[in-house]
Amino acid sequence: MRNRPLGRTGLFVSELCLGTMTFGGGEGMWAQIGSLQQADAERLIGQALDAGINFIDTADMYSGGLAEQITGQALKNLKVSRESVVVATKVFGDMGPGPNMRGASRGHILDAVKASLKRLQLDHIDLYQIHAFDAATPIEETMRALDQLVRHGHVRYIGVSNWAAWQIVKAVGIAERPGLTRLESLQAYYTIAGRDLEREIIPMLRSEGIGLLVWSPLAGGLLSGKFGREQKGEQGSRRTTFDFPPVNLERAYACIDAMRPIAQARGVSVAQIAIAWLLAQPQVTSVIIGAKRPDQLADNIAAAQVTLSAEELNQLDEVSRLPSEYPGWMLERQGQQRRKQMSEGQITNAFPPTSSL
């Protein structure tokens, strides 16, 4: 298990991260995603730690706080030293009926972090993330509240999840002027069958030195190998009960068709190929994997041992490539013209670009 720095920090996290969305259960979508209780969740956490994973991600809203509670108790029961594990959680979702019991306001953030620390039984959170963009709260208010948490020692690093590129860049600029704590990570949906991040977000992350944490690397189980053009999946599998995130099925099936022979030739699962493809993407810091059973977790963990060849990566890139959109095709055209001028000696490039066109 390799370790990678989180953003521009000196904090190293494992390239695979254990997600806890299957912990707790309850009503609605939580019952469909997973309902692991203490003993079973503890077994998965122990299995992940034994495999070299040092990174655990949760959120206050998962199962109404149960996921955080189970995670904290598991770390205590397993006698995990605080320095050996990086714990990330998130704030934003509804935690009660009142209008101020959600969002990214100063009031809610300060209340929520105390509640998360209590449920996790920790004295600090390593990575605290805003779970979604709050259009009702000024970004400056959110950034100042997060900076306060870092200065008080409740939180070590901060990040966001499910934000657009312009929102992240605006937050970076707001924080930079008065010297507030900077954002170090984005947690976002990214799969071989859903490469939308590559249009705007990944170039922005590269430019700003922000790490990428990937959620739902198997597109809600669609890329697990149990689904295909003629396969509808096992009864009770996540995609059959909770059809999320949205996926272009034709594109996904084309990716599965391309991954299946690669997996068969290597004697591994399609899921491992899908995760290995993500691990080969240079902007990815860590891929969040979740499971309901130890065998599922073991299969996902094994993806860290799969290194795809250049030929295999090219093949998968070709089948999953995004259709060209403006301004992407214009930037590529301009880049080709500039490279042609440079190769012919018409111009020189005294300042190498920070990102490729």
Side-chain angles (χ1 to χ4, degrees):
M1 186 71 61
R2 293 170 292 249
N3 294 293
R4 303 176 179 182
L6 180 73
R8 295 199 312 202
T9 77
L11 180 71
F12 283 82
V13 296
S14 51
E15 61 185 339
L16 295 180
C17 171
L18 180 65
T20 64
M21 206 171 179
T22 57
F23 295 2
E27 299 179 351
M29 71 175 187
W30 303 116
Q32 298 171 340
I33 292 172
S35 56
L36 297 181
Q37 298 307 302
Q38 191 66 47
D40 289 331
E42 203 164 293
R43 188 175 299 112
L44 292 185
I45 289 177
Q47 180 182 352
L49 295 173
D50 289 343
I53 290 176
N54 76 339
F55 195 16
I56 299 175
D57 179 75
T58 187
D60 60 0
M61 70 174 291
Y62 290 172
S63 299
L66 271 176
E68 282 187 331
Q69 185 177 323
I70 290 171
T71 299
Q73 189 61 46
L75 294 175
K76 182 177 181 180
N77 292 348
L78 294 169
K79 296 180 172 55
V80 178
S81 66
R82 185 64 187 91
E83 297 78 12
S84 66
V85 65
V86 176
V87 178
T89 192
K90 299 182 283 292
V91 57
F92 181 88
D94 291 313
M95 296 303 292
N100 294 315
M101 300 180 74
R102 69 182 306 276
S105 68
R106 176 187 297 276
H108 182 58
I109 288 173
L110 297 185
D111 288 340
V113 74
K114 293 177 183 177
S116 287
L117 286 168
K118 183 177 180 180
R119 285 189 291 265
L120 289 164
Q121 302 183 57
L122 300 175
D123 63 357
H124 73 271
I125 293 163
D126 296 293
L127 176 63
Y128 201 49
Q129 305 156 100
I130 305 299
H131 209 161
F133 183 73
D134 186 354
T137 301
I139 295 177
E140 184 171 3
E141 178 179 341
T142 299
M143 296 304 294
R144 287 191 178 277
L146 292 173
D147 179 71
Q148 181 178 335
L149 296 184
V150 174
R151 293 181 187 275
H152 288 181
H154 301 309
V155 168
R156 297 282 173 84
Y157 301 97
I158 61 173
V160 295
S161 179
N162 304 316
W163 281 34
W166 72 265
Q167 294 163 346
I168 297 172
V169 170
K170 186 172 182 178
V172 168
I174 287 172
E176 190 174 77
R177 289 198 305 270
L180 303 178
T181 304
R182 76 184 302 273
L183 295 175
E184 298 296 350
S185 65
L186 167 69
Q187 188 174 143
Y189 169 64
Y190 186 34
T191 71
I192 189 172
R195 297 173 60 178
D196 304 70
L197 262 67
E198 296 175 9
R199 296 196 190 281
E200 297 277 353
I201 291 178
I202 285 181
M204 178 275 300
L205 296 177
R206 187 183 304 120
S207 170
E208 302 304 319
I210 295 173
L212 175 59
L213 312 177
V214 175
W215 63 260
S216 201
L218 301 181
L222 188 64
L223 305 180
S224 63
K226 301 172 184 176
F227 294 83
R229 297 179 191 279
E230 307 300 327
Q231 290 178 267
K232 301 305 178 184
E234 301 172 355
Q235 184 64 32
S237 60
R238 177 172 161 183
R239 265 287 172 181
T240 62
T241 59
F242 185 57
D243 192 18
F244 183 84
V247 175
N248 180 318
L249 288 178
E250 182 56 37
R251 179 181 296 275
Y253 291 151
C255 292
I256 293 169
D257 290 343
M259 289 190 293
R260 202 179 296 280
I262 296 175
Q264 291 172 346
R266 289 173 167 269
V268 302
S269 67
V270 171
Q272 288 181 39
I273 299 300
I275 295 173
W277 181 87
L278 283 168
L279 293 175
Q281 305 311 304
Q283 195 56 44
V284 171
T285 302
S286 189
V287 175
I288 302 170
I289 56 175
K292 296 180 182 179
R293 306 190 310 267
D295 61 301
Q296 292 176 330
L297 182 58
D299 186 78
N300 287 352
I301 289 173
Q305 306 303 317
V306 177
T307 301
L308 297 172
S309 68
E311 182 180 352
E312 290 168 333
L313 285 171
N314 288 337
Q315 179 184 349
L316 295 177
D317 283 343
E318 187 63 33
V319 75
S320 63
R321 191 183 307 278
L322 289 170
S324 182
E325 286 186 357
Y326 179 85
W329 54 259
M330 179 59 79
L331 294 174
E332 178 59 29
R333 179 183 176 85
Q334 292 169 341
Q336 290 173 352
Q337 292 173 342
R338 178 57 58 91
R339 288 190 290 270
K340 182 174 184 293
Q341 290 172 333
M342 290 173 62
S343 68
E344 294 174 351
Q346 299 178 34
I347 60 172
T348 59
N349 188 15
F351 301 99
T354 56
S355 61
S356 60
L357 293 173

